[in-house]
mmCIF file of all heavy atoms in Angstrom:
data_model
loop_
_atom_site.group_PDB
_atom_site.id
_atom_site.type_symbol
_atom_site.label_atom_id
_atom_site.label_comp_id
_atom_site.label_asym_id
_atom_site.label_seq_id
_atom_site.Cartn_x
_atom_site.Cartn_y
_atom_site.Cartn_z
ATOM 1 N N ILE A 1 2.704 3.557 -5.476
ATOM 2 C CA ILE A 1 3.100 3.067 -6.789
ATOM 3 C C ILE A 1 4.537 2.624 -6.789
ATOM 4 O O ILE A 1 4.893 1.538 -7.432
ATOM 5 C CB ILE A 1 2.996 4.265 -7.879
ATOM 6 C CG1 ILE A 1 1.478 4.520 -8.040
ATOM 7 C CG2 ILE A 1 3.746 3.928 -9.125
ATOM 8 C CD1 ILE A 1 1.220 5.661 -9.113
ATOM 9 N N ARG A 2 5.420 3.177 -5.953
ATOM 10 C CA ARG A 2 6.786 2.574 -5.730
ATOM 11 C C ARG A 2 6.671 1.193 -5.163
ATOM 12 O O ARG A 2 7.473 0.335 -5.510
ATOM 13 C CB ARG A 2 7.554 3.566 -4.880
ATOM 14 C CG ARG A 2 8.004 4.830 -5.486
ATOM 15 C CD ARG A 2 8.813 5.675 -4.506
ATOM 16 N NE ARG A 2 9.147 6.978 -5.058
ATOM 17 C CZ ARG A 2 9.574 7.922 -4.312
ATOM 18 N NH1 ARG A 2 9.712 7.876 -2.992
ATOM 19 N NH2 ARG A 2 9.794 9.114 -4.889
ATOM 20 N N ALA A 3 5.703 0.997 -4.264
ATOM 21 C CA ALA A 3 5.486 -0.326 -3.835
ATOM 22 C C ALA A 3 4.968 -1.334 -4.820
ATOM 23 O O ALA A 3 5.581 -2.465 -4.811
ATOM 24 C CB ALA A 3 4.465 -0.270 -2.613
ATOM 25 N N VAL A 4 4.130 -0.917 -5.731
ATOM 26 C CA VAL A 4 3.753 -1.794 -6.771
ATOM 27 C C VAL A 4 4.933 -2.164 -7.614
ATOM 28 O O VAL A 4 5.109 -3.335 -8.156
ATOM 29 C CB VAL A 4 2.596 -1.124 -7.601
ATOM 30 C CG1 VAL A 4 2.275 -1.890 -8.882
ATOM 31 C CG2 VAL A 4 1.365 -0.901 -6.771
ATOM 32 N N ASP A 5 5.808 -1.156 -7.896
ATOM 33 C CA ASP A 5 7.043 -1.446 -8.686
ATOM 34 C C ASP A 5 7.913 -2.470 -8.136
ATOM 35 O O ASP A 5 8.580 -3.128 -8.768
ATOM 36 C CB ASP A 5 7.771 -0.126 -8.815
ATOM 37 C CG ASP A 5 8.934 -0.178 -9.792
ATOM 38 O OD1 ASP A 5 8.781 -0.679 -10.922
ATOM 39 O OD2 ASP A 5 10.068 0.159 -9.399
ATOM 40 N N LYS A 6 7.836 -2.581 -6.709
ATOM 41 C CA LYS A 6 8.668 -3.576 -6.003
ATOM 42 C C LYS A 6 7.948 -4.827 -5.833
ATOM 43 O O LYS A 6 8.589 -5.861 -5.264
ATOM 44 C CB LYS A 6 9.110 -2.959 -4.725
ATOM 45 C CG LYS A 6 10.088 -1.731 -4.758
ATOM 46 C CD LYS A 6 10.389 -1.250 -3.379
ATOM 47 C CE LYS A 6 11.227 0.000 -3.596
ATOM 48 N NZ LYS A 6 11.584 0.571 -2.193
ATOM 49 N N SER A 7 6.712 -4.973 -6.249
ATOM 50 C CA SER A 7 5.900 -6.151 -5.789
ATOM 51 C C SER A 7 6.439 -7.471 -6.136
ATOM 52 O O SER A 7 6.182 -8.450 -5.477
ATOM 53 C CB SER A 7 4.501 -5.938 -6.292
ATOM 54 O OG SER A 7 4.455 -5.920 -7.738
ATOM 55 N N GLU A 8 7.103 -7.527 -7.290
ATOM 56 C CA GLU A 8 7.590 -8.817 -7.803
ATOM 57 C C GLU A 8 9.103 -9.023 -7.358
ATOM 58 O O GLU A 8 9.623 -10.044 -7.656
ATOM 59 C CB GLU A 8 7.523 -8.928 -9.367
ATOM 60 C CG GLU A 8 6.046 -8.877 -9.795
ATOM 61 C CD GLU A 8 5.873 -9.133 -11.354
ATOM 62 O OE1 GLU A 8 6.921 -9.251 -11.986
ATOM 63 O OE2 GLU A 8 4.838 -9.201 -11.791
ATOM 64 N N LYS A 9 9.658 -8.095 -6.586
ATOM 65 C CA LYS A 9 10.926 -8.233 -6.166
ATOM 66 C C LYS A 9 11.044 -8.536 -4.602
ATOM 67 O O LYS A 9 12.120 -8.795 -4.081
ATOM 68 C CB LYS A 9 11.786 -6.891 -6.436
ATOM 69 C CG LYS A 9 11.682 -6.507 -7.924
ATOM 70 C CD LYS A 9 12.181 -5.136 -8.147
ATOM 71 C CE LYS A 9 11.983 -4.661 -9.499
ATOM 72 N NZ LYS A 9 12.250 -3.159 -9.659
ATOM 73 N N VAL A 10 9.926 -8.375 -3.939
ATOM 74 C CA VAL A 10 9.932 -8.574 -2.435
ATOM 75 C C VAL A 10 8.820 -9.649 -2.211
ATOM 76 O O VAL A 10 7.958 -9.899 -3.018
ATOM 77 C CB VAL A 10 9.597 -7.289 -1.714
ATOM 78 C CG1 VAL A 10 10.744 -6.256 -1.949
ATOM 79 C CG2 VAL A 10 8.327 -6.689 -2.080
ATOM 80 N N ASP A 11 8.847 -10.129 -0.928
ATOM 81 C CA ASP A 11 7.795 -11.098 -0.610
ATOM 82 C C ASP A 11 6.438 -10.392 -0.363
ATOM 83 O O ASP A 11 6.384 -9.184 -0.101
ATOM 84 C CB ASP A 11 8.165 -12.035 0.607
ATOM 85 C CG ASP A 11 8.515 -11.252 1.848
ATOM 86 O OD1 ASP A 11 7.800 -10.255 2.129
ATOM 87 O OD2 ASP A 11 9.360 -11.655 2.610
ATOM 88 N N GLU A 12 5.332 -11.157 -0.220
ATOM 89 C CA GLU A 12 4.065 -10.590 -0.004
ATOM 90 C C GLU A 12 3.954 -9.751 1.184
ATOM 91 O O GLU A 12 3.326 -8.594 1.126
ATOM 92 C CB GLU A 12 3.042 -11.610 -0.084
ATOM 93 C CG GLU A 12 1.591 -11.109 0.054
ATOM 94 C CD GLU A 12 0.556 -12.201 0.034
ATOM 95 O OE1 GLU A 12 0.898 -13.446 0.146
ATOM 96 O OE2 GLU A 12 -0.649 -11.855 -0.011
ATOM 97 N N ASP A 13 4.438 -10.246 2.347
ATOM 98 C CA ASP A 13 4.286 -9.539 3.574
ATOM 99 C C ASP A 13 4.956 -8.103 3.485
ATOM 100 O O ASP A 13 4.549 -7.161 3.915
ATOM 101 C CB ASP A 13 4.898 -10.164 4.702
ATOM 102 C CG ASP A 13 3.982 -11.425 5.172
ATOM 103 O OD1 ASP A 13 2.865 -11.448 4.754
ATOM 104 O OD2 ASP A 13 4.551 -12.325 5.797
ATOM 105 N N GLU A 14 6.180 -8.030 2.862
ATOM 106 C CA GLU A 14 6.932 -6.779 2.709
ATOM 107 C C GLU A 14 6.068 -5.891 1.765
ATOM 108 O O GLU A 14 6.018 -4.672 1.938
ATOM 109 C CB GLU A 14 8.379 -7.044 2.153
ATOM 110 C CG GLU A 14 9.130 -5.772 2.103
ATOM 111 C CD GLU A 14 10.551 -5.929 1.740
ATOM 112 O OE1 GLU A 14 11.031 -7.134 1.686
ATOM 113 O OE2 GLU A 14 11.237 -4.984 1.497
ATOM 114 N N TYR A 15 5.596 -6.417 0.718
ATOM 115 C CA TYR A 15 4.877 -5.640 -0.271
ATOM 116 C C TYR A 15 3.617 -5.023 0.419
ATOM 117 O O TYR A 15 3.394 -3.768 0.263
ATOM 118 C CB TYR A 15 4.418 -6.537 -1.449
ATOM 119 C CG TYR A 15 3.443 -5.931 -2.344
ATOM 120 C CD1 TYR A 15 3.570 -4.703 -2.917
ATOM 121 C CD2 TYR A 15 2.319 -6.752 -2.843
ATOM 122 C CE1 TYR A 15 2.592 -4.147 -3.781
ATOM 123 C CE2 TYR A 15 1.389 -6.230 -3.727
ATOM 124 C CZ TYR A 15 1.579 -5.014 -4.115
ATOM 125 O OH TYR A 15 0.632 -4.367 -5.082
ATOM 126 N N LEU A 16 2.812 -5.873 1.103
ATOM 127 C CA LEU A 16 1.698 -5.287 1.752
ATOM 128 C C LEU A 16 2.045 -4.233 2.837
ATOM 129 O O LEU A 16 1.313 -3.284 3.033
ATOM 130 C CB LEU A 16 0.901 -6.449 2.427
ATOM 131 C CG LEU A 16 0.201 -7.445 1.413
ATOM 132 C CD1 LEU A 16 -0.485 -8.585 2.117
ATOM 133 C CD2 LEU A 16 -0.802 -6.793 0.478
ATOM 134 N N GLY A 17 3.141 -4.475 3.567
ATOM 135 C CA GLY A 17 3.679 -3.553 4.406
ATOM 136 C C GLY A 17 4.007 -2.211 3.818
ATOM 137 O O GLY A 17 3.808 -1.142 4.385
ATOM 138 N N LEU A 18 4.519 -2.238 2.655
ATOM 139 C CA LEU A 18 4.872 -0.961 1.952
ATOM 140 C C LEU A 18 3.519 -0.270 1.502
ATOM 141 O O LEU A 18 3.564 0.995 1.663
ATOM 142 C CB LEU A 18 5.659 -1.239 0.616
ATOM 143 C CG LEU A 18 7.088 -1.743 0.873
ATOM 144 C CD1 LEU A 18 7.676 -2.221 -0.372
ATOM 145 C CD2 LEU A 18 7.952 -0.611 1.497
ATOM 146 N N LEU A 19 2.553 -1.003 1.156
ATOM 147 C CA LEU A 19 1.213 -0.312 0.873
ATOM 148 C C LEU A 19 0.610 0.199 2.191
ATOM 149 O O LEU A 19 0.011 1.267 2.151
ATOM 150 C CB LEU A 19 0.290 -1.395 0.143
ATOM 151 C CG LEU A 19 0.645 -1.817 -1.258
ATOM 152 C CD1 LEU A 19 -0.354 -2.825 -1.644
ATOM 153 C CD2 LEU A 19 0.581 -0.576 -2.220
ATOM 154 N N TYR A 20 0.769 -0.512 3.265
ATOM 155 C CA TYR A 20 0.283 -0.033 4.498
ATOM 156 C C TYR A 20 0.975 1.290 4.938
ATOM 157 O O TYR A 20 0.380 2.218 5.387
ATOM 158 C CB TYR A 20 0.490 -1.129 5.573
ATOM 159 C CG TYR A 20 0.014 -0.702 7.018
ATOM 160 C CD1 TYR A 20 -1.296 -0.811 7.398
ATOM 161 C CD2 TYR A 20 0.987 -0.242 7.824
ATOM 162 C CE1 TYR A 20 -1.634 -0.402 8.635
ATOM 163 C CE2 TYR A 20 0.637 0.213 9.139
ATOM 164 C CZ TYR A 20 -0.708 0.097 9.567
ATOM 165 O OH TYR A 20 -1.136 0.527 10.899
ATOM 166 N N ASP A 21 2.270 1.270 4.752
ATOM 167 C CA ASP A 21 3.016 2.508 5.037
ATOM 168 C C ASP A 21 2.630 3.664 4.214
ATOM 169 O O ASP A 21 2.672 4.811 4.615
ATOM 170 C CB ASP A 21 4.573 2.258 4.861
ATOM 171 C CG ASP A 21 5.083 1.245 5.960
ATOM 172 O OD1 ASP A 21 4.469 1.012 6.914
ATOM 173 O OD2 ASP A 21 6.220 0.719 5.636
ATOM 174 N N ALA A 22 2.112 3.389 3.030
ATOM 175 C CA ALA A 22 1.600 4.432 2.102
ATOM 176 C C ALA A 22 0.258 4.874 2.354
ATOM 177 O O ALA A 22 -0.193 5.882 1.741
ATOM 178 C CB ALA A 22 1.662 3.921 0.686
ATOM 179 N N GLY A 23 -0.431 4.248 3.378
ATOM 180 C CA GLY A 23 -1.744 4.776 3.812
ATOM 181 C C GLY A 23 -2.906 3.866 3.714
ATOM 182 O O GLY A 23 -3.989 4.074 4.164
ATOM 183 N N LEU A 24 -2.728 2.671 3.095
ATOM 184 C CA LEU A 24 -3.820 1.777 3.003
ATOM 185 C C LEU A 24 -3.891 0.825 4.180
ATOM 186 O O LEU A 24 -2.740 0.559 4.833
ATOM 187 C CB LEU A 24 -3.721 0.872 1.716
ATOM 188 C CG LEU A 24 -3.740 1.615 0.305
ATOM 189 C CD1 LEU A 24 -3.478 0.604 -0.714
ATOM 190 C CD2 LEU A 24 -5.194 2.196 0.137
ATOM 191 N N SER A 25 -5.025 0.390 4.620
ATOM 192 C CA SER A 25 -5.107 -0.632 5.577
ATOM 193 C C SER A 25 -4.614 -1.994 4.955
ATOM 194 O O SER A 25 -4.574 -2.060 3.717
ATOM 195 C CB SER A 25 -6.504 -0.841 6.074
ATOM 196 O OG SER A 25 -7.316 -1.326 5.152
ATOM 197 N N TYR A 26 -4.392 -3.019 5.759
ATOM 198 C CA TYR A 26 -3.990 -4.254 5.162
ATOM 199 C C TYR A 26 -5.110 -4.828 4.313
ATOM 200 O O TYR A 26 -4.877 -5.437 3.251
ATOM 201 C CB TYR A 26 -3.568 -5.281 6.245
ATOM 202 C CG TYR A 26 -2.116 -5.031 6.702
ATOM 203 C CD1 TYR A 26 -1.867 -4.327 7.904
ATOM 204 C CD2 TYR A 26 -1.089 -5.497 5.917
ATOM 205 C CE1 TYR A 26 -0.555 -4.006 8.258
ATOM 206 C CE2 TYR A 26 0.256 -5.175 6.248
ATOM 207 C CZ TYR A 26 0.570 -4.542 7.402
ATOM 208 O OH TYR A 26 1.848 -4.312 7.836
ATOM 209 N N ASP A 27 -6.319 -4.731 4.762
ATOM 210 C CA ASP A 27 -7.425 -5.238 3.874
ATOM 211 C C ASP A 27 -7.585 -4.476 2.595
ATOM 212 O O ASP A 27 -7.814 -5.033 1.532
ATOM 213 C CB ASP A 27 -8.751 -5.088 4.723
ATOM 214 C CG ASP A 27 -8.866 -6.147 5.760
ATOM 215 O OD1 ASP A 27 -8.167 -7.137 5.763
ATOM 216 O OD2 ASP A 27 -9.769 -5.911 6.685
ATOM 217 N N GLN A 28 -7.373 -3.134 2.658
ATOM 218 C CA GLN A 28 -7.442 -2.308 1.422
ATOM 219 C C GLN A 28 -6.186 -2.629 0.576
ATOM 220 O O GLN A 28 -6.448 -2.751 -0.681
ATOM 221 C CB GLN A 28 -7.321 -0.804 1.800
ATOM 222 C CG GLN A 28 -8.662 -0.257 2.458
ATOM 223 C CD GLN A 28 -8.510 1.049 2.948
ATOM 224 O OE1 GLN A 28 -7.457 1.521 3.364
ATOM 225 N NE2 GLN A 28 -9.643 1.862 2.905
ATOM 226 N N ALA A 29 -5.114 -2.929 1.176
ATOM 227 C CA ALA A 29 -3.933 -3.330 0.364
ATOM 228 C C ALA A 29 -4.165 -4.581 -0.446
ATOM 229 O O ALA A 29 -3.801 -4.678 -1.613
ATOM 230 C CB ALA A 29 -2.756 -3.448 1.299
ATOM 231 N N ARG A 30 -4.762 -5.561 0.224
ATOM 232 C CA ARG A 30 -5.069 -6.836 -0.470
ATOM 233 C C ARG A 30 -6.121 -6.588 -1.569
ATOM 234 O O ARG A 30 -5.997 -7.226 -2.590
ATOM 235 C CB ARG A 30 -5.574 -7.818 0.517
ATOM 236 C CG ARG A 30 -4.489 -8.286 1.550
ATOM 237 C CD ARG A 30 -5.009 -9.407 2.451
ATOM 238 N NE ARG A 30 -3.977 -9.830 3.426
ATOM 239 C CZ ARG A 30 -3.914 -9.341 4.667
ATOM 240 N NH1 ARG A 30 -4.797 -8.392 4.987
ATOM 241 N NH2 ARG A 30 -2.968 -9.671 5.509
ATOM 242 N N GLU A 31 -7.124 -5.820 -1.257
ATOM 243 C CA GLU A 31 -8.212 -5.551 -2.166
ATOM 244 C C GLU A 31 -7.554 -4.803 -3.411
ATOM 245 O O GLU A 31 -7.888 -5.166 -4.524
ATOM 246 C CB GLU A 31 -9.290 -4.672 -1.601
ATOM 247 C CG GLU A 31 -10.488 -4.537 -2.496
ATOM 248 C CD GLU A 31 -11.645 -3.892 -1.859
ATOM 249 O OE1 GLU A 31 -11.401 -3.088 -0.834
ATOM 250 O OE2 GLU A 31 -12.824 -4.038 -2.302
ATOM 251 N N PHE A 32 -6.738 -3.787 -3.151
ATOM 252 C CA PHE A 32 -6.118 -3.014 -4.255
ATOM 253 C C PHE A 32 -5.255 -4.041 -5.072
ATOM 254 O O PHE A 32 -5.334 -3.975 -6.295
ATOM 255 C CB PHE A 32 -5.169 -1.876 -3.707
ATOM 256 C CG PHE A 32 -4.312 -1.291 -4.720
ATOM 257 C CD1 PHE A 32 -4.739 -0.571 -5.794
ATOM 258 C CD2 PHE A 32 -2.904 -1.545 -4.645
ATOM 259 C CE1 PHE A 32 -3.865 -0.031 -6.702
ATOM 260 C CE2 PHE A 32 -2.036 -1.060 -5.515
ATOM 261 C CZ PHE A 32 -2.550 -0.289 -6.560
ATOM 262 N N ASP A 33 -4.442 -4.840 -4.444
ATOM 263 C CA ASP A 33 -3.544 -5.785 -5.196
ATOM 264 C C ASP A 33 -4.409 -6.741 -6.018
ATOM 265 O O ASP A 33 -3.973 -7.039 -7.166
ATOM 266 C CB ASP A 33 -2.704 -6.591 -4.159
ATOM 267 C CG ASP A 33 -1.757 -7.418 -4.875
ATOM 268 O OD1 ASP A 33 -0.844 -6.916 -5.666
ATOM 269 O OD2 ASP A 33 -1.822 -8.688 -4.818
ATOM 270 N N SER A 34 -5.514 -7.163 -5.516
ATOM 271 C CA SER A 34 -6.374 -8.091 -6.306
ATOM 272 C C SER A 34 -6.886 -7.424 -7.559
ATOM 273 O O SER A 34 -7.127 -8.132 -8.665
ATOM 274 C CB SER A 34 -7.553 -8.651 -5.506
ATOM 275 O OG SER A 34 -8.565 -7.637 -5.282
ATOM 276 N N LEU A 35 -7.131 -6.150 -7.594
ATOM 277 C CA LEU A 35 -7.572 -5.441 -8.789
ATOM 278 C C LEU A 35 -6.530 -5.503 -9.861
ATOM 279 O O LEU A 35 -6.854 -5.332 -11.049
ATOM 280 C CB LEU A 35 -7.857 -3.939 -8.438
ATOM 281 C CG LEU A 35 -9.020 -3.723 -7.474
ATOM 282 C CD1 LEU A 35 -9.059 -2.250 -7.133
ATOM 283 C CD2 LEU A 35 -10.410 -4.150 -8.145
ATOM 284 N N LEU A 36 -5.356 -5.650 -9.488
ATOM 285 C CA LEU A 36 -4.226 -5.642 -10.491
ATOM 286 C C LEU A 36 -4.035 -6.956 -11.240
ATOM 287 O O LEU A 36 -3.130 -7.076 -12.047
ATOM 288 C CB LEU A 36 -2.843 -5.241 -9.756
ATOM 289 C CG LEU A 36 -2.860 -3.981 -8.966
ATOM 290 C CD1 LEU A 36 -1.419 -3.630 -8.329
ATOM 291 C CD2 LEU A 36 -3.421 -2.882 -9.785
ATOM 292 N N ASP A 37 -4.906 -7.879 -10.972
ATOM 293 C CA ASP A 37 -4.825 -9.232 -11.559
ATOM 294 C C ASP A 37 -5.405 -9.162 -12.986
ATOM 295 O O ASP A 37 -5.239 -10.207 -13.716
ATOM 296 C CB ASP A 37 -5.638 -10.280 -10.798
ATOM 297 C CG ASP A 37 -4.936 -10.696 -9.493
ATOM 298 O OD1 ASP A 37 -3.640 -10.586 -9.428
ATOM 299 O OD2 ASP A 37 -5.605 -11.073 -8.574
ATOM 300 N N VAL A 38 -6.070 -8.050 -13.403
ATOM 301 C CA VAL A 38 -6.596 -7.945 -14.772
ATOM 302 C C VAL A 38 -5.409 -8.246 -15.797
ATOM 303 O O VAL A 38 -4.501 -7.585 -15.797
ATOM 304 C CB VAL A 38 -7.244 -6.613 -14.997
ATOM 305 C CG1 VAL A 38 -7.746 -6.472 -16.426
ATOM 306 C CG2 VAL A 38 -8.399 -6.439 -14.015
#
């Protein structure tokens, strides 16, 4: 969630890296992020 909070302040690679560090795979991170487009 802290990574999501930073999502608009950092570039995409850093954002996905933060989600990866939190436990998601890169594919899961992209899938999770796409859900937030609602």
Side-chain angles (χ1 to χ4, degrees):
I1 288 178
R2 288 176 183 167
V4 174
D5 185 55
K6 296 178 181 177
S7 62
E8 296 186 357
K9 306 168 189 172
V10 299
D11 61 36
E12 182 181 7
D13 288 343
E14 183 175 352
Y15 169 47
L16 293 175
L18 291 171
L19 291 175
Y20 178 83
D21 292 342
L24 295 174
S25 70
Y26 278 101
D27 286 342
Q28 289 172 330
R30 293 186 182 91
E31 187 174 24
F32 167 71
D33 183 62
S34 69
L35 295 171
L36 307 186
D37 288 334
V38 175

